[in-house]
Amino acid sequence: MREHKEVLEYRYDTQLLLDKYGLDDDACDDLVDELRDYILDHFKGDCLIVAGDTGEDDFGGEKATIKLHYHTNEPWLVLQYFASVGEIYDIVVEDMQRQSDGLHG
């Protein structure tokens, strides 16, 4: 059995993309601020990055794409919240403790 060299305070590196349709640049900026504030108020973690940009959707309308990067012990709650806001995809949840311990999988 391997010993932990270091116990991480926040174990899971949580990343995703979120699309929200019908948003222009100003609305996208507002959504980024809203998402960031909600995370800080409701989830414990660190290394938070929330960034967004707008572009056209497949039908010629506008959409905002938001990128999240966050270290937390409750990634499933973060995913649940973001799924309630828009369409989430490219979801990655990595166990940084296993990586730190030299384990795979």
Side-chain angles (χ1 to χ4, degrees):
M1 181 187 289
R2 294 181 182 221
E3 286 186 38
H4 293 299
K5 296 178 180 139
E6 170 189 12
V7 176
L8 300 176
E9 184 175 7
Y10 299 108
R11 184 174 184 148
Y12 298 102
D13 178 6
T14 307
Q15 302 175 48
L16 62 82
L17 294 175
L18 175 141
D19 281 348
K20 180 84 173 180
Y21 296 91
L23 299 184
D24 62 15
D25 288 337
D26 290 336
C28 177
D29 291 344
D30 291 344
L31 180 59
V32 166
D33 291 342
E34 177 185 319
L35 294 170
R36 184 181 300 113
D37 290 346
Y38 189 91
I39 289 169
L40 292 172
D41 290 344
H42 292 88
F43 305 115
K44 292 181 181 178
D46 64 10
C47 297
L48 174 63
I49 299 172
V50 181
D53 198 8
T54 56
E56 283 192 10
D57 66 20
D58 294 337
F59 306 103
E62 292 182 302
K63 75 172 179 177
T65 300
I66 309 295
K67 167 77 176 172
L68 168 74
H69 176 252
Y70 192 48
H71 297 171
T72 182
N73 291 329
E74 304 170 322
W76 50 90
L77 296 176
V78 174
L79 295 174
Q80 183 178 26
Y81 169 65
F82 270 74
S84 74
V85 173
E87 178 184 332
I88 62 172
Y89 59 102
D90 287 353
I91 300 162
V92 176
V93 177
E94 294 181 331
D95 186 336
M96 296 184 302
Q97 188 66 60
R98 288 184 61 85
Q99 290 173 349
S100 177
D101 293 345
L103 301 173
H104 300 283

